[in-house]
Amino acid sequence: MDELDLLKKDWQKTSYVDNKQLTSVDIYPMLHKKSSSIVKTLFYISIAELVFWVILNTIPYFASDEYRAELETMFHGSTWILIFTIFSYAVILLFVYLLFKSYKDISVTDNVRKLMKNILKTRKVIKYYVLYNLIMAFLSISYGMYESATNDPEVSAQFAEFSDKQMFVAMLFMIVGAGLFIGLIWIFYRLIYGILLKKLNRNYNELKKLEV
């Protein structure tokens, strides 16, 4: 009876190891497919964002002479607008390229370590891109407020009549407004990219377990 119990325990132990190995073999393709799908979705979102900003900036500029004149006054001529626009689109295109490259790298990855490395690279690309957009939003809003206050005749004339207290309240209102706008951008990226990054991070943690 004791020998039979020992045989049963030995069989259960062997069966557990085999099942664990089988599970690891089965899990990796699933995680690989999920990671590839997530990065592909991120790539499509970046394309949609690029199209959105092109439409948002192009239509008002060419559809409204007044809007175009205000921009040219603010940026002291169309050259600065062109430089700023080209730079912004170049960064977005670079981001799209890096995501596409990440998707291709993950798609052809054939081992756990490489897949983990590619997931980490993708996470860094997303984080840097979101940080860049938040910084650019802050700089653009700050510069726009400064140019409006100094170059817009109506705004500068109104500011000239303000007392110190009124000027403080106006500046505080603009800072809070800029903070709220940047906060909305952060929430947007948090919702869109954050959810997908969490899933990618979950895959990374599962792959880490497989390596151990």
Side-chain angles (χ1 to χ4, degrees):
M1 191 71 178
D2 292 338
E3 290 182 5
L4 182 61
D5 290 336
L6 288 172
L7 284 172
K8 284 181 178 180
K9 286 180 180 180
D10 185 61
W11 178 81
Q12 288 174 352
K13 185 178 179 181
T14 305
S15 176
Y16 171 76
V17 172
D18 291 340
N19 287 333
K20 186 178 180 182
Q21 290 175 348
L22 182 63
T23 302
S24 298
V25 171
D26 289 340
I27 285 175
Y28 175 75
M30 293 171 59
L31 292 175
H32 182 276
K33 186 177 180 181
K34 285 181 181 179
S35 300
S36 180
S37 177
I38 291 170
V39 177
K40 189 176 182 180
T41 303
L42 288 167
F43 171 70
Y44 286 147
I45 290 173
S46 67
I47 293 291
E49 185 178 358
L50 175 62
V51 173
F52 170 76
W53 286 116
V54 169
I55 293 173
L56 186 67
N57 290 322
T58 303
I59 291 179
Y61 184 80
F62 288 104
S64 173
D65 293 335
E66 183 180 349
Y67 176 76
R68 186 164 59 252
E70 286 180 3
L71 282 180
E72 290 177 356
T73 301
M74 181 180 294
F75 287 96
H76 308 292
S78 58
T79 303
W80 286 107
I81 300 174
L82 182 62
I83 292 172
F84 181 78
T85 303
I86 290 173
F87 178 76
S88 299
Y89 289 156
V91 172
I92 296 177
L93 285 172
L94 176 63
F95 171 68
V96 170
Y97 166 75
L98 291 174
L99 273 182
F100 178 74
K101 189 174 181 298
S102 294
Y103 167 65
K104 285 295 184 182
D105 289 342
I106 287 177
S107 298
V108 299
T109 299
D110 57 359
N111 64 65
V112 174
R113 189 175 292 274
K114 284 184 180 179
L115 182 56
M116 290 172 66
K117 185 178 179 181
N118 288 327
I119 287 175
L120 285 176
K121 282 169 61 179
T122 304
R123 284 166 52 189
K124 284 182 180 179
V125 169
I126 297 291
K127 287 179 180 179
Y128 287 147
Y129 178 70
V130 171
L131 181 62
Y132 161 81
N133 279 329
L134 292 176
I135 291 173
M136 288 302 294
F138 172 76
L139 293 176
S140 298
I141 292 170
S142 300
Y143 184 72
M145 288 180 176
Y146 171 77
E147 288 295 332
S148 295
T150 55
N151 292 323
D152 191 318
E154 294 182 6
V155 176
S156 57
Q158 191 173 6
F159 277 177
E161 297 176 359
F162 281 177
S163 64
D164 291 341
K165 185 177 180 181
Q166 289 175 322
M167 182 64 73
F168 174 77
V169 172
M171 293 298 294
L172 185 63
F173 180 78
M174 287 190 292
I175 291 171
V176 171
L180 288 174
F181 181 75
I182 293 171
L184 288 174
I185 295 175
W186 180 81
I187 290 172
F188 168 78
Y189 283 117
R190 184 75 176 174
L191 289 173
I192 300 298
Y193 291 109
I195 293 172
L196 294 172
L197 278 180
K198 280 184 179 179
K199 292 181 179 180
L200 206 58
N201 191 54
R202 197 178 301 127
N203 289 355
Y204 175 82
N205 291 331
E206 290 297 326
L207 288 167
K208 209 170 182 181
K209 292 177 184 176
L210 290 182
E211 253 214 332
V212 175

